[in-house]
Amino acid sequence: MTEAAVRRRGRGAGGGGAARRAERSAVSFETAKYIERNIPNFEVLNEEALAIIEANAETILEEVGVNFVDNPAALQRWRDAGADVQGERVRLPKGLARELIKTAPSEYTQHARNPDRNVVVGGRNLVLAPVYGPPFVRDAAGGRRYATMDDFKKFVKLGYMSKWLHHSGGTVCEPTDVPVNKRHLDMLLAHMQLSDKPFMGSVTEPSRAQDSVDMCGILFGKEFVQENTVMTSLININSPMTFDDVMMGALEVYAANNQACIISPFIVGGAMAPVSVAGTLTQVLAEVLAGVAYSQLCKAGAPVIFGAFVSSIDMNSGAPTFGTPEASLVTYGAGQLARRLGLPFRSAGSFCGSKLPDAQAAYETANSLNMGLLSGVNFMLHSCGWLEGGLVADFEKFVMDADQLGALHQMAKGIDMSEGMQAMDAIHEVGPGGHYLGCAHTQANFKTAFWKSDLFDYKPFETWEDEGARDTRQLATSRVERLLGQYEQPAMDPAVNEALEAYVAEKKASMPDAFI
Amino acid sequence: MTEAAVRRRGRGAGGGGAARRAERSAVSFETAKYIERNIPNFEVLNEEALAIIEANAETILEEVGVNFVDNPAALQRWRDAGADVQGERVRLPKGLARELIKTAPSEYTQHARNPDRNVVVGGRNLVLAPVYGPPFVRDAAGGRRYATMDDFKKFVKLGYMSKWLHHSGGTVCEPTDVPVNKRHLDMLLAHMQLSDKPFMGSVTEPSRAQDSVDMCGILFGKEFVQENTVMTSLININSPMTFDDVMMGALEVYAANNQACIISPFIVGGAMAPVSVAGTLTQVLAEVLAGVAYSQLCKAGAPVIFGAFVSSIDMNSGAPTFGTPEASLVTYGAGQLARRLGLPFRSAGSFCGSKLPDAQAAYETANSLNMGLLSGVNFMLHSCGWLEGGLVADFEKFVMDADQLGALHQMAKGIDMSEGMQAMDAIHEVGPGGHYLGCAHTQANFKTAFWKSDLFDYKPFETWEDEGARDTRQLATSRVERLLGQYEQPAMDPAVNEALEAYVAEKKASMPDAFI
């Protein structure tokens, strides 16, 4: 097993922060570098269509505008920037948002406590992070149930051990057994202690965003945090075109501290956006322009991502549907719009509507993952473990999806046209009617030639049957158990560990439990 | 159910063959038109890479050559065309194949007995046909077993009733209970009687190809068959670079009768072709160039398809692997090569290595189906029902895959940029904080806005649980039963029906049974 190839790096203690951070993670499981695409993006819209959508978005911003709710400071910032503010409605003259977002970086580095795990978000890169937000978990043994902190920790461990996952994520599930006003502390502590991959901060209250910044100050050093991005956090827009004070409050904290935010319309097509792809793209662009512009009003240069969470809807049941062609078309188009703005792009994921990690789940997920790679996504939240429209984080599906992410890595490499890979000698050597299994070229290259699942069944039928005729879910159950059994916590400076735990304990003691 | 919307067309009896053919199919289930793409193809290779592969393929044809086995007439044709023939080895001077293939049409119409089911193969079109060749079938109730003629007929019925399937295919499974020298007669008769979609001819002996032509003469009229393409049949190349007499004999019959052939390298990467993508593409191109050139030597203008069956290999078990990134890269590249030759392209399918219609099967299949759409495939054999590396035709997976083919249709439409779909009125009407469910634009468009599976579960969790918490395979079992229960045979002129049955009976009586 690749993940079991424990790598013990014998670095001596160094002087600076980087060396100290390296020392903290002396035991580590193998993680692939984030994807650097060597393939083109799929461009579904032509220049004319893009220009129409961009002009329409400017019209929407000027004529309809957006609401900033319960946020007088935001309204003042907008007034000062030249927007037309009436009540909570902010109308942006054409070109204003586009001018303001020029200060947003086209890419940024998010640092991890293990510098080998740093990720560069933007450009041709793709960073993969796990599912975010489900209140329920499911596995074959325990069925569907409310998520707990124990489940949360298991998912962080699985994410740490997943070779193709570059990021530990954020709320991999909602630990419903911890008070709602305290769970962000436990979640952050788990990401910091149980993994050495980069992670996300809390966004459910501005004070919790500040806690996230403060805990990172302990983990990375205060000064380091002010000068470097150590969190990428999810700021949803209440589509259509509403920016609430909670999300904006968190954004303000993160921007002020140079921390990255995904600014992301949350759209169930036909409900939060028009029922058409072109209309949805127009609204998405208008919303992101307003949101990113606002981030730059808070702090010019603050790193942000153009987000687009898009699903379609089953008009019979009202349920959101996933892995559908309309969601793909929106995402392909949104990727083009993001690139034209020079912003990193977040979309796609292991989306599905199925209640079980079955064939429906896999078809829908594969549709979305493949589309995510080809649409130029730079940060893919929910890249593994999503089930039942995001209500459930599924343990088996987590490892099933995480395995498929390996295929994206290989696909992204494109076609190696080096002389060796042209294989002319091999074709000459083997000739008509021969076979390549034994030829020199095959012997020299077969180990790395083909991507191989660590989970799927490739065995002869008889072997597979003798071993119990297991389906993918059963294989995944074994894999979850095996990974959790092999887990080893990455080392951390004991003083840092103690300080983090003291911070959490003190904060928790300072307020009563709240469960809503 | 869409398929259950039985359409009774009240056409009166007309004079010509078209009217006669229309009359034969007075009862029909709805079938979508073949896909006409309104989206670009995904182009993974740049001009320089394409030129290298093309030059290398010419070098291989000139220096290594191809074998035409046990086929003196073919060798003579090659000699006459200017090739260097030594023994069975045929070496083609650079440019010869490219010159010869110029007479191959860039697209052709394959006629069905119901003219509404005619398909145009080539251009930006995608025609979908079912799985081909498995000796086994599987369903949840009966498990894995040798296929019989009864299974074969069920698959033809399911294909006829599948809205998104344009083609009835050929050997949807091997009816192992019928003697091997007679089964092509029963198979053809089943396609002709039980469906009104286009179909494939036999290729397992030249005489069986001739039987296919003769039976089509009865069904369509002899003259019609000579002037029109009524079959598209599968001619595999024994990669590397070997053209056997059985396959070439069938090709010769079909070409002489203006019937279409897919000329298709059959490649398990690392065994029948180099272990690299670039090397495989080179060999695929060389093989197809030689095969298509030969088809044009047999009859200039005979319709042919650039085929590429590609899988990778698990070097541990030796098993072919499917839905992998390497197969996708080869297929994307092969699509580009085919378009540069101006030939229709066949590749991709519902490929998977899984033993069951589970998540592995669905991930792998979705990877391949999506790639097939974006790689510009014009004819997708195996587009539904493939299981276990092609050893098994699976009833549940047939309807699961056939349902997903609907998503490809919707995706291929691309983004409608009409003023109505720009939805500016809707965005103005709803405004920040509103919702679109009730707005005029949504009401006017929701019925056609989103593609919807006819199989997947979109129900609320509680409903789904109350109804038995069924997974996709269980839903598919029900769907197979329902479709077969609703099946109605399309009408056929009784005289034609009688003549076909007499032909089959006479042929079968003329030879002893053979089982190998």
Side-chain angles (χ1 to χ4, degrees), chain A residues 56 63 240 271 276 283 314 326 355 358 363 367 370 401 410 421-422 428 436 451-452 457 459 472, chain B residues 56 63 271 276 283 314 326 355 358 360 363 367 370 401 410 421-422 428 433 436 451-452 457 459 472:
Chain A
N56 284 350
E63 295 180 5
S276 66
Q283 184 183 308
D314 172 26
E326 295 80 18
K355 314 292 188 292
D358 58 2
Y363 283 114
N367 290 346
N370 283 295
D401 296 336
Q410 184 81 349
M421 289 302 104
Q422 289 179 38
H428 273 91
Y436 287 85
W451 177 79
K452 188 176 182 303
D457 159 64
K459 291 177 177 165
T472 318
Chain B
N56 284 350
E63 295 180 5
S276 65
Q283 184 182 308
D314 172 27
E326 295 80 18
K355 314 293 188 290
D358 57 1
Q360 175 181 347
Y363 283 116
N367 290 346
N370 283 295
D401 296 337
Q410 184 82 348
M421 290 301 106
Q422 290 178 39
H428 272 89
Y436 287 85
W451 177 78
K452 187 174 182 303
D457 159 64
K459 292 176 178 165
T472 318

Short mmCIF file of all heavy atoms in Angstrom, two decimals, chain A residues 56 63 240 271 276 283 314 326 355 358 363 367 370 401 410 421-422 428 436 451-452 457 459 472, chain B residues 56 63 271 276 283 314 326 355 358 360 363 367 370 401 410 421-422 428 433 436 451-452 457 459 472:
data_model
loop_
_atom_site.label_atom_id
_atom_site.label_comp_id
_atom_site.label_asym_id
_atom_site.label_seq_id
_atom_site.Cartn_x
_atom_site.Cartn_y
_atom_site.Cartn_z
N ASN A 56 -23.72 41.32 -19.52
CA ASN A 56 -24.96 41.15 -18.74
C ASN A 56 -24.69 41.24 -17.24
O ASN A 56 -25.49 41.81 -16.48
CB ASN A 56 -25.60 39.80 -19.07
CG ASN A 56 -26.31 39.80 -20.42
OD1 ASN A 56 -26.49 40.85 -21.04
ND2 ASN A 56 -26.71 38.62 -20.88
N GLU A 63 -27.84 47.74 -12.48
CA GLU A 63 -29.29 48.01 -12.45
C GLU A 63 -30.01 47.31 -11.30
O GLU A 63 -30.97 47.84 -10.76
CB GLU A 63 -29.92 47.57 -13.78
CG GLU A 63 -29.41 48.41 -14.95
CD GLU A 63 -30.03 48.00 -16.28
OE1 GLU A 63 -30.93 47.13 -16.29
OE2 GLU A 63 -29.59 48.55 -17.32
N PRO A 240 -29.94 34.48 -4.53
CA PRO A 240 -29.34 35.47 -5.41
C PRO A 240 -28.89 36.75 -4.70
O PRO A 240 -29.65 37.37 -3.98
CB PRO A 240 -30.49 35.80 -6.38
CG PRO A 240 -31.74 35.49 -5.62
CD PRO A 240 -31.40 34.40 -4.66
N ALA A 271 -33.79 27.62 -8.42
CA ALA A 271 -34.25 28.14 -7.13
C ALA A 271 -33.47 29.40 -6.78
O ALA A 271 -34.03 30.48 -6.62
CB ALA A 271 -34.10 27.09 -6.05
N SER A 276 -31.79 28.57 -16.48
CA SER A 276 -30.95 28.38 -17.67
C SER A 276 -29.47 28.49 -17.32
O SER A 276 -29.09 29.18 -16.38
CB SER A 276 -31.29 29.43 -18.73
OG SER A 276 -30.95 30.71 -18.27
N GLN A 283 -25.48 35.42 -13.34
CA GLN A 283 -25.64 35.75 -11.92
C GLN A 283 -24.39 35.38 -11.12
O GLN A 283 -23.95 36.13 -10.25
CB GLN A 283 -26.88 35.04 -11.37
CG GLN A 283 -27.15 35.40 -9.92
CD GLN A 283 -28.34 34.65 -9.37
OE1 GLN A 283 -29.42 34.64 -9.97
NE2 GLN A 283 -28.15 34.00 -8.23
N ASP A 314 -34.38 18.65 -9.27
CA ASP A 314 -35.44 17.79 -9.78
C ASP A 314 -36.76 18.49 -9.49
O ASP A 314 -37.15 18.62 -8.33
CB ASP A 314 -35.39 16.43 -9.09
CG ASP A 314 -36.60 15.57 -9.44
OD1 ASP A 314 -37.17 15.79 -10.53
OD2 ASP A 314 -36.97 14.71 -8.63
N GLU A 326 -26.14 20.00 -16.84
CA GLU A 326 -26.29 21.45 -16.67
C GLU A 326 -25.24 21.99 -15.69
O GLU A 326 -24.65 23.05 -15.92
CB GLU A 326 -27.69 21.80 -16.17
CG GLU A 326 -28.80 21.46 -17.16
CD GLU A 326 -29.17 19.98 -17.15
OE1 GLU A 326 -28.83 19.28 -16.16
OE2 GLU A 326 -29.78 19.52 -18.13
N LYS A 355 -28.29 8.02 -1.95
CA LYS A 355 -28.31 7.79 -0.50
C LYS A 355 -27.23 6.81 -0.07
O LYS A 355 -26.95 6.67 1.12
CB LYS A 355 -29.67 7.23 -0.07
CG LYS A 355 -30.90 7.95 -0.66
CD LYS A 355 -31.06 9.35 -0.14
CE LYS A 355 -32.38 9.97 -0.58
NZ LYS A 355 -32.48 10.24 -2.03
N ASP A 358 -23.24 3.80 -4.08
CA ASP A 358 -23.55 2.78 -5.08
C ASP A 358 -23.21 3.29 -6.47
O ASP A 358 -22.45 4.24 -6.64
CB ASP A 358 -25.02 2.38 -4.96
CG ASP A 358 -25.96 3.57 -5.13
OD1 ASP A 358 -25.47 4.70 -5.38
OD2 ASP A 358 -27.19 3.39 -5.02
N TYR A 363 -21.44 7.18 -10.71
CA TYR A 363 -21.65 7.85 -12.01
C TYR A 363 -21.64 9.37 -11.80
O TYR A 363 -20.95 10.11 -12.51
CB TYR A 363 -23.01 7.51 -12.62
CG TYR A 363 -23.20 6.17 -13.27
CD1 TYR A 363 -24.08 5.24 -12.73
CD2 TYR A 363 -22.57 5.85 -14.47
CE1 TYR A 363 -24.31 4.01 -13.35
CE2 TYR A 363 -22.79 4.63 -15.09
CZ TYR A 363 -23.66 3.71 -14.53
OH TYR A 363 -23.89 2.51 -15.14
N ASN A 367 -18.78 11.96 -13.12
CA ASN A 367 -19.14 13.06 -14.03
C ASN A 367 -18.56 14.38 -13.51
O ASN A 367 -18.01 15.17 -14.27
CB ASN A 367 -20.67 13.19 -14.13
CG ASN A 367 -21.31 12.05 -14.89
OD1 ASN A 367 -20.63 11.26 -15.55
ND2 ASN A 367 -22.63 11.93 -14.80
N ASN A 370 -14.40 14.44 -13.34
CA ASN A 370 -13.79 14.62 -14.66
C ASN A 370 -14.00 16.04 -15.16
O ASN A 370 -13.09 16.66 -15.70
CB ASN A 370 -14.40 13.63 -15.67
CG ASN A 370 -13.86 12.22 -15.49
OD1 ASN A 370 -12.68 11.99 -15.69
ND2 ASN A 370 -14.70 11.29 -15.09
N ASP A 401 -13.70 7.72 -3.51
CA ASP A 401 -13.44 8.95 -4.27
C ASP A 401 -11.96 9.32 -4.22
O ASP A 401 -11.37 9.71 -5.23
CB ASP A 401 -14.25 10.12 -3.70
CG ASP A 401 -15.76 9.94 -3.82
OD1 ASP A 401 -16.19 9.18 -4.71
OD2 ASP A 401 -16.49 10.56 -3.02
N GLN A 410 -3.02 11.48 -13.00
CA GLN A 410 -2.38 10.87 -14.17
C GLN A 410 -2.89 11.53 -15.46
O GLN A 410 -2.11 11.83 -16.36
CB GLN A 410 -2.69 9.37 -14.17
CG GLN A 410 -2.00 8.60 -15.29
CD GLN A 410 -0.55 8.27 -14.97
OE1 GLN A 410 0.04 8.77 -14.01
NE2 GLN A 410 0.03 7.42 -15.79
N MET A 421 9.18 7.88 -25.08
CA MET A 421 7.77 7.52 -25.03
C MET A 421 7.15 7.38 -26.43
O MET A 421 6.08 6.83 -26.58
CB MET A 421 6.99 8.55 -24.20
CG MET A 421 7.27 8.49 -22.72
SD MET A 421 6.92 6.86 -21.95
CE MET A 421 8.56 6.21 -21.73
N GLN A 422 7.84 7.86 -27.46
CA GLN A 422 7.37 7.61 -28.83
C GLN A 422 7.50 6.13 -29.18
O GLN A 422 6.81 5.63 -30.06
CB GLN A 422 8.13 8.48 -29.83
CG GLN A 422 7.78 9.97 -29.74
CD GLN A 422 8.58 10.80 -30.74
OE1 GLN A 422 8.82 10.38 -31.87
NE2 GLN A 422 9.01 11.99 -30.31
N HIS A 428 9.48 -1.25 -33.74
CA HIS A 428 10.38 -1.96 -34.64
C HIS A 428 10.73 -3.35 -34.09
O HIS A 428 10.75 -4.34 -34.81
CB HIS A 428 11.68 -1.16 -34.84
CG HIS A 428 11.61 -0.16 -35.95
ND1 HIS A 428 11.21 1.15 -35.75
CD2 HIS A 428 11.87 -0.25 -37.28
CE1 HIS A 428 11.23 1.80 -36.91
NE2 HIS A 428 11.64 0.98 -37.85
N TYR A 436 4.19 -7.13 -26.73
CA TYR A 436 5.06 -6.15 -26.09
C TYR A 436 5.40 -6.47 -24.64
O TYR A 436 6.21 -5.77 -24.05
CB TYR A 436 4.38 -4.77 -26.14
CG TYR A 436 4.38 -4.15 -27.53
CD1 TYR A 436 3.40 -4.45 -28.46
CD2 TYR A 436 5.37 -3.24 -27.90
CE1 TYR A 436 3.39 -3.87 -29.72
CE2 TYR A 436 5.37 -2.65 -29.17
CZ TYR A 436 4.38 -2.98 -30.07
OH TYR A 436 4.39 -2.41 -31.31
N TRP A 451 -1.72 4.17 -14.50
CA TRP A 451 -2.29 4.44 -13.19
C TRP A 451 -3.09 3.22 -12.74
O TRP A 451 -3.74 2.55 -13.53
CB TRP A 451 -3.22 5.65 -13.24
CG TRP A 451 -3.85 5.88 -11.91
CD1 TRP A 451 -3.28 6.48 -10.83
CD2 TRP A 451 -5.16 5.48 -11.51
NE1 TRP A 451 -4.16 6.48 -9.78
CE2 TRP A 451 -5.31 5.87 -10.15
CE3 TRP A 451 -6.21 4.82 -12.13
CZ2 TRP A 451 -6.48 5.63 -9.44
CZ3 TRP A 451 -7.38 4.57 -11.42
CH2 TRP A 451 -7.50 4.98 -10.08
N LYS A 452 -3.04 2.97 -11.44
CA LYS A 452 -3.66 1.77 -10.89
C LYS A 452 -4.40 2.16 -9.62
O LYS A 452 -3.85 2.85 -8.77
CB LYS A 452 -2.52 0.79 -10.56
CG LYS A 452 -2.93 -0.58 -10.16
CD LYS A 452 -1.67 -1.43 -9.96
CE LYS A 452 -2.01 -2.86 -9.59
NZ LYS A 452 -2.83 -3.01 -8.40
N ASP A 457 -11.18 -3.80 -7.78
CA ASP A 457 -10.88 -5.20 -8.02
C ASP A 457 -10.37 -5.40 -9.44
O ASP A 457 -11.07 -5.08 -10.40
CB ASP A 457 -12.17 -6.02 -7.81
CG ASP A 457 -12.08 -7.34 -8.52
OD1 ASP A 457 -11.23 -8.14 -8.12
OD2 ASP A 457 -12.83 -7.56 -9.49
N LYS A 459 -8.83 -8.55 -10.01
CA LYS A 459 -8.44 -9.95 -9.91
C LYS A 459 -9.17 -10.83 -10.92
O LYS A 459 -10.24 -10.48 -11.41
CB LYS A 459 -8.75 -10.45 -8.49
CG LYS A 459 -7.84 -9.81 -7.45
CD LYS A 459 -8.18 -10.24 -6.05
CE LYS A 459 -7.19 -9.61 -5.07
NZ LYS A 459 -7.68 -9.72 -3.69
N THR A 472 -17.58 -2.90 -4.48
CA THR A 472 -16.67 -1.79 -4.18
C THR A 472 -16.84 -1.29 -2.75
O THR A 472 -15.87 -0.95 -2.08
CB THR A 472 -16.91 -0.63 -5.16
OG1 THR A 472 -17.10 -1.16 -6.48
CG2 THR A 472 -15.73 0.33 -5.16
N ASN B 56 5.79 9.39 -37.55
CA ASN B 56 6.21 8.09 -37.02
C ASN B 56 5.37 6.95 -37.60
O ASN B 56 5.89 5.87 -37.90
CB ASN B 56 6.12 8.07 -35.49
CG ASN B 56 7.25 8.84 -34.83
OD1 ASN B 56 8.22 9.24 -35.49
ND2 ASN B 56 7.13 9.06 -33.53
N GLU B 63 8.85 1.02 -42.85
CA GLU B 63 10.01 0.23 -42.41
C GLU B 63 9.61 -1.10 -41.78
O GLU B 63 10.33 -2.09 -41.93
CB GLU B 63 10.85 1.04 -41.42
CG GLU B 63 11.46 2.27 -42.08
CD GLU B 63 12.30 3.10 -41.11
OE1 GLU B 63 12.47 2.67 -39.94
OE2 GLU B 63 12.74 4.19 -41.51
N ALA B 271 0.63 -4.85 -24.04
CA ALA B 271 0.64 -6.21 -24.60
C ALA B 271 0.58 -6.14 -26.13
O ALA B 271 1.47 -6.62 -26.81
CB ALA B 271 -0.53 -7.02 -24.04
N SER B 276 3.44 3.01 -23.74
CA SER B 276 3.28 4.48 -23.66
C SER B 276 2.13 4.95 -24.53
O SER B 276 1.79 4.32 -25.53
CB SER B 276 4.57 5.17 -24.12
OG SER B 276 4.81 4.90 -25.49
N GLN B 283 1.08 3.43 -33.27
CA GLN B 283 0.70 2.13 -33.82
C GLN B 283 -0.75 2.11 -34.27
O GLN B 283 -1.08 1.57 -35.34
CB GLN B 283 0.96 1.03 -32.78
CG GLN B 283 0.68 -0.36 -33.33
CD GLN B 283 0.88 -1.42 -32.28
OE1 GLN B 283 1.93 -1.47 -31.65
NE2 GLN B 283 -0.11 -2.28 -32.08
N ASP B 314 -3.27 -4.14 -15.92
CA ASP B 314 -2.74 -4.24 -14.57
C ASP B 314 -1.56 -5.21 -14.62
O ASP B 314 -1.75 -6.41 -14.83
CB ASP B 314 -3.81 -4.76 -13.61
CG ASP B 314 -3.24 -5.07 -12.24
OD1 ASP B 314 -2.23 -4.44 -11.87
OD2 ASP B 314 -3.79 -5.94 -11.54
N GLU B 326 -4.94 6.58 -18.97
CA GLU B 326 -4.14 6.31 -20.17
C GLU B 326 -5.05 6.02 -21.36
O GLU B 326 -4.81 6.49 -22.47
CB GLU B 326 -3.19 5.14 -19.94
CG GLU B 326 -2.12 5.41 -18.89
CD GLU B 326 -2.64 5.25 -17.48
OE1 GLU B 326 -3.71 4.61 -17.30
OE2 GLU B 326 -1.99 5.77 -16.54
N LYS B 355 -16.62 -6.81 -11.54
CA LYS B 355 -17.39 -8.03 -11.71
C LYS B 355 -18.88 -7.79 -11.49
O LYS B 355 -19.70 -8.66 -11.80
CB LYS B 355 -16.92 -9.09 -10.71
CG LYS B 355 -15.40 -9.27 -10.60
CD LYS B 355 -14.78 -9.83 -11.85
CE LYS B 355 -13.30 -10.17 -11.64
NZ LYS B 355 -12.42 -8.99 -11.48
N ASP B 358 -21.43 -2.18 -9.76
CA ASP B 358 -21.30 -1.47 -8.50
C ASP B 358 -20.62 -0.13 -8.73
O ASP B 358 -20.58 0.38 -9.87
CB ASP B 358 -20.51 -2.34 -7.51
CG ASP B 358 -19.13 -2.73 -8.05
OD1 ASP B 358 -18.78 -2.31 -9.18
OD2 ASP B 358 -18.41 -3.45 -7.34
N GLN B 360 -17.40 0.70 -8.60
CA GLN B 360 -16.25 0.62 -9.50
C GLN B 360 -16.71 0.65 -10.95
O GLN B 360 -16.18 1.41 -11.78
CB GLN B 360 -15.46 -0.68 -9.26
CG GLN B 360 -14.32 -0.85 -10.28
CD GLN B 360 -13.51 -2.14 -10.09
OE1 GLN B 360 -13.64 -2.81 -9.07
NE2 GLN B 360 -12.69 -2.46 -11.06
N TYR B 363 -17.87 4.29 -11.79
CA TYR B 363 -16.76 5.26 -11.94
C TYR B 363 -16.08 5.03 -13.28
O TYR B 363 -15.85 5.95 -14.05
CB TYR B 363 -15.69 5.06 -10.86
CG TYR B 363 -15.96 5.56 -9.47
CD1 TYR B 363 -16.06 4.67 -8.40
CD2 TYR B 363 -16.04 6.92 -9.19
CE1 TYR B 363 -16.25 5.11 -7.10
CE2 TYR B 363 -16.23 7.37 -7.88
CZ TYR B 363 -16.34 6.47 -6.84
OH TYR B 363 -16.52 6.90 -5.56
N ASN B 367 -16.14 7.57 -16.49
CA ASN B 367 -14.88 8.11 -17.02
C ASN B 367 -14.84 7.93 -18.53
O ASN B 367 -14.46 8.85 -19.27
CB ASN B 367 -13.67 7.40 -16.40
CG ASN B 367 -13.46 7.73 -14.93
OD1 ASN B 367 -14.04 8.69 -14.41
ND2 ASN B 367 -12.62 6.96 -14.26
N ASN B 370 -17.85 9.97 -20.55
CA ASN B 370 -17.58 11.41 -20.65
C ASN B 370 -16.45 11.68 -21.64
O ASN B 370 -16.53 12.59 -22.47
CB ASN B 370 -17.20 11.98 -19.28
CG ASN B 370 -18.40 12.16 -18.38
OD1 ASN B 370 -19.27 12.97 -18.68
ND2 ASN B 370 -18.47 11.41 -17.31
N ASP B 401 -26.45 2.22 -17.65
CA ASP B 401 -25.63 2.95 -18.62
C ASP B 401 -26.52 3.67 -19.64
O ASP B 401 -26.27 4.83 -19.98
CB ASP B 401 -24.70 2.00 -19.39
CG ASP B 401 -23.66 1.32 -18.51
OD1 ASP B 401 -23.34 1.87 -17.44
OD2 ASP B 401 -23.17 0.25 -18.90
N GLN B 410 -27.69 15.76 -23.40
CA GLN B 410 -27.92 17.12 -22.88
C GLN B 410 -26.62 17.92 -22.87
O GLN B 410 -26.60 19.09 -23.27
CB GLN B 410 -28.50 17.02 -21.46
CG GLN B 410 -28.87 18.36 -20.84
CD GLN B 410 -30.24 18.86 -21.31
OE1 GLN B 410 -30.82 18.33 -22.26
NE2 GLN B 410 -30.72 19.89 -20.65
N MET B 421 -32.71 32.55 -22.92
CA MET B 421 -31.91 31.79 -21.98
C MET B 421 -30.90 32.67 -21.22
O MET B 421 -30.34 32.24 -20.22
CB MET B 421 -31.19 30.64 -22.70
CG MET B 421 -32.13 29.54 -23.16
SD MET B 421 -33.07 28.75 -21.81
CE MET B 421 -34.72 29.45 -22.06
N GLN B 422 -30.67 33.87 -21.70
CA GLN B 422 -29.83 34.80 -20.92
C GLN B 422 -30.54 35.22 -19.63
O GLN B 422 -29.91 35.63 -18.66
CB GLN B 422 -29.45 36.02 -21.76
CG GLN B 422 -28.47 35.71 -22.87
CD GLN B 422 -28.15 36.95 -23.71
OE1 GLN B 422 -28.01 38.05 -23.18
NE2 GLN B 422 -28.04 36.76 -25.01
N HIS B 428 -33.71 40.40 -13.14
CA HIS B 428 -34.31 41.67 -12.72
C HIS B 428 -35.55 41.44 -11.85
O HIS B 428 -35.74 42.09 -10.83
CB HIS B 428 -34.72 42.49 -13.96
CG HIS B 428 -33.64 43.37 -14.50
ND1 HIS B 428 -32.74 42.95 -15.46
CD2 HIS B 428 -33.28 44.66 -14.21
CE1 HIS B 428 -31.89 43.93 -15.75
NE2 HIS B 428 -32.19 44.99 -14.99
N GLY B 433 -32.06 38.19 -2.75
CA GLY B 433 -32.83 37.59 -1.66
C GLY B 433 -34.11 36.91 -2.10
O GLY B 433 -34.78 36.28 -1.29
N TYR B 436 -36.28 31.86 -7.46
CA TYR B 436 -36.68 31.74 -8.87
C TYR B 436 -37.76 30.70 -9.11
O TYR B 436 -38.24 30.57 -10.23
CB TYR B 436 -35.45 31.38 -9.71
CG TYR B 436 -34.48 32.53 -9.90
CD1 TYR B 436 -33.50 32.79 -8.95
CD2 TYR B 436 -34.54 33.36 -11.01
CE1 TYR B 436 -32.60 33.84 -9.11
CE2 TYR B 436 -33.66 34.41 -11.18
CZ TYR B 436 -32.69 34.64 -10.23
OH TYR B 436 -31.81 35.68 -10.39
N TRP B 451 -31.76 17.97 -17.40
CA TRP B 451 -31.83 16.56 -17.69
C TRP B 451 -32.13 15.80 -16.40
O TRP B 451 -31.65 16.16 -15.32
CB TRP B 451 -30.51 16.06 -18.27
CG TRP B 451 -30.54 14.59 -18.51
CD1 TRP B 451 -31.14 13.96 -19.56
CD2 TRP B 451 -30.02 13.57 -17.67
NE1 TRP B 451 -31.01 12.61 -19.44
CE2 TRP B 451 -30.33 12.33 -18.28
CE3 TRP B 451 -29.33 13.58 -16.47
CZ2 TRP B 451 -29.96 11.11 -17.72
CZ3 TRP B 451 -28.97 12.36 -15.90
CH2 TRP B 451 -29.28 11.15 -16.53
N LYS B 452 -32.89 14.72 -16.54
CA LYS B 452 -33.34 13.98 -15.37
C LYS B 452 -33.18 12.50 -15.68
O LYS B 452 -33.61 12.03 -16.72
CB LYS B 452 -34.81 14.33 -15.17
CG LYS B 452 -35.45 13.81 -13.92
CD LYS B 452 -36.86 14.37 -13.81
CE LYS B 452 -37.55 13.93 -12.55
NZ LYS B 452 -37.64 12.50 -12.34
N ASP B 457 -32.34 7.58 -7.97
CA ASP B 457 -33.17 7.98 -6.85
C ASP B 457 -32.98 9.46 -6.55
O ASP B 457 -31.86 9.91 -6.26
CB ASP B 457 -32.77 7.16 -5.62
CG ASP B 457 -33.20 7.85 -4.35
OD1 ASP B 457 -34.41 7.99 -4.16
OD2 ASP B 457 -32.32 8.28 -3.58
N LYS B 459 -35.47 10.86 -4.45
CA LYS B 459 -36.54 11.03 -3.45
C LYS B 459 -36.02 11.55 -2.12
O LYS B 459 -34.84 11.40 -1.81
CB LYS B 459 -37.25 9.70 -3.24
CG LYS B 459 -38.03 9.27 -4.48
CD LYS B 459 -38.65 7.91 -4.29
CE LYS B 459 -39.47 7.57 -5.55
NZ LYS B 459 -39.81 6.15 -5.61
N THR B 472 -28.82 1.35 -6.58
CA THR B 472 -29.02 1.55 -8.02
C THR B 472 -29.30 0.22 -8.72
O THR B 472 -30.12 0.15 -9.64
CB THR B 472 -27.78 2.21 -8.64
OG1 THR B 472 -27.31 3.25 -7.77
CG2 THR B 472 -28.11 2.81 -10.01
#
